[in-house]
Amino acid sequence: MPELIEVEAYRALAERAALDRPITGVEAPDPWYLKAGLTVDALSFLIGSRFSAANRRGKLLSLETVGRDGSPGPVLGLRFGMSGRLLVDGTPGVASLRYASNEPLERYDRFGVTFADGGHLRMRDPRRLGGVQLDPSEAALGHDAASITLGQLSRALVGSRAPLKARLMDQARVAGVGNLIADEVLWRAGLSPARAAGGLTPAEVRRLHRHLRGALHEMTSRGGSHTGDLMDQRRPGGVCPRDGQPLRRDTVGGRTTWWCPAHQR
DNA sequence: CCGGATGTTCACCT
DNA sequence: GAGGTGAACATCCG
């Protein structure tokens, strides 16, 4: 579920509801969820601290902390994998969830903190592909897809013989684009996912940039990465919503890719 | 039972 | 070394 759009919703939720609340407890029932050598002990600094800012770069959510005296503490980095959600006081950052039906969902809570007022911030992640780390390196991430400029996008693609879609999803080049957004953007831009990334004309790069920004904006207002025009047709027998031609299913950049050979060139 | 799933990482290849 | 590919990770669903 989480691509840039969902993580931005999580960021907004944390900013709106989790800042400046004194932390009184850490919930880490799943040590495996703590990454890069992080331990429960190393998280004890959180007690008495509070979150002071919520930032996002690509799919990484960074919560800045300050101690009792207001001095800066470590940054808490949250990654949500394929199925992770953020909840504050039980309110999720996004509406729908794949595993929304039955079952007590609390069993999927992998990490959280409790606040002095009894509320809490929690990560709920059935597949456990997300994780928590301290002071995550943002240097490993490219420009954020939501704010990337035309020039930055152009430089992220130039010289690469990798498939265009693979390059778009390379978080070190462009941060935030996942499988669904990539397919949607390329479909809108009329570009084949298999094209060599560095082989685009300047006009095509401009088109890609315009549709990247446009698709993110539109899908955000619709409510998520799964709200693209192509989404309903990502299935056997699916047809292009634009021209009615049968969609093709390929693997590009290691991911299932649905696209329209009739208008994506 | 099997294949696939909105992500990241790591071993391995050219 | 750069750059790219595919499997593995863990769990659930159709």
Side-chain angles (χ1 to χ4, degrees):
Chain A
M1 152 185 291
E3 296 188 35
L4 178 154
I5 294 170
E6 284 73 27
V7 180
E8 173 57 25
Y10 300 163
R11 188 206 64 78
L13 171 67
E15 182 176 79
R16 182 190 337 130
L19 301 189
D20 298 320
R21 298 170 72 180
I23 295 167
T24 53
V26 175
E27 306 170 341
D30 185 358
W32 191 86
Y33 210 68
L34 307 180
K35 306 299 182 182
L38 182 58
T39 62
V40 177
D41 279 354
L43 284 168
S44 60
F45 79 91
L46 282 169
I47 296 172
S49 300
R50 53 193 167 82
F51 298 125
S52 55
N55 305 312
R56 180 191 59 76
R57 179 150 173 177
K59 305 169 194 172
L60 171 68
L61 177 59
S62 296
L63 300 179
E64 294 180 17
T65 69
V66 294
R68 277 191 185 81
D69 59 0
S71 61
V75 174
L76 198 61
L78 310 181
R79 294 183 178 284
F80 296 90
M82 299 261 264
S83 62
R85 284 205 305 179
L86 185 76
L87 300 93
V88 178
D89 301 331
T91 301
V94 295
S96 64
L97 174 65
R98 193 187 180 90
Y99 306 88
S101 48
N102 41 32
E103 299 295 332
L105 297 174
E106 293 74 22
R107 61 186 278 229
Y108 301 130
D109 289 349
R110 313 295 182 187
F111 173 81
V113 300
T114 52
F115 298 117
D117 56 23
H120 45 74
L121 172 147
R122 289 184 179 136
M123 292 179 74
R124 183 167 293 174
D125 183 1
R127 288 180 62 187
R128 292 172 80 207
L129 292 175
V132 178
Q133 71 181 109
L134 287 189
D135 297 320
S137 164
E138 293 198 10
L141 295 173
H143 295 286
D144 188 81
S147 57
I148 194 170
T149 67
L150 174 60
Q152 290 166 343
L153 178 62
S154 182
R155 286 191 291 279
L157 303 178
V158 71
S160 172
R161 289 190 306 166
L164 175 57
K165 180 180 174 182
R167 196 73 168 185
L168 261 189
M169 289 195 303
D170 182 344
Q171 302 300 302
R173 307 285 176 173
V174 179
V177 176
N179 199 36
L180 293 183
I181 292 176
D183 277 5
E184 177 75 14
V185 169
L186 293 174
W187 175 80
R188 289 182 180 218
L191 294 168
S192 164
R195 281 277 295 280
L200 270 58
T201 67
E204 287 174 329
V205 177
R206 280 196 296 277
R207 217 162 73 216
L208 179 62
H209 182 252
R210 189 168 70 244
H211 285 290
L212 173 60
R213 304 291 290 271
L216 286 175
H217 189 266
E218 196 168 332
M219 294 164 83
T220 295
S221 69
R222 290 181 188 169
S225 305
H226 59 291
T227 61
D229 295 338
L230 200 56
M231 189 64 189
D232 289 348
Q233 301 301 319
R234 293 177 61 93
R235 53 175 175 75
V239 299
C240 174
R242 181 176 299 181
D243 51 37
Q245 295 298 304
L247 291 180
R248 189 165 151 182
R249 179 193 195 276
D250 286 315
T251 298
V252 181
R255 307 299 300 276
T256 296
T257 300
W258 294 89
W259 64 291
C260 173
H263 86 269
Q264 289 180 253
R265 303 292 180 147

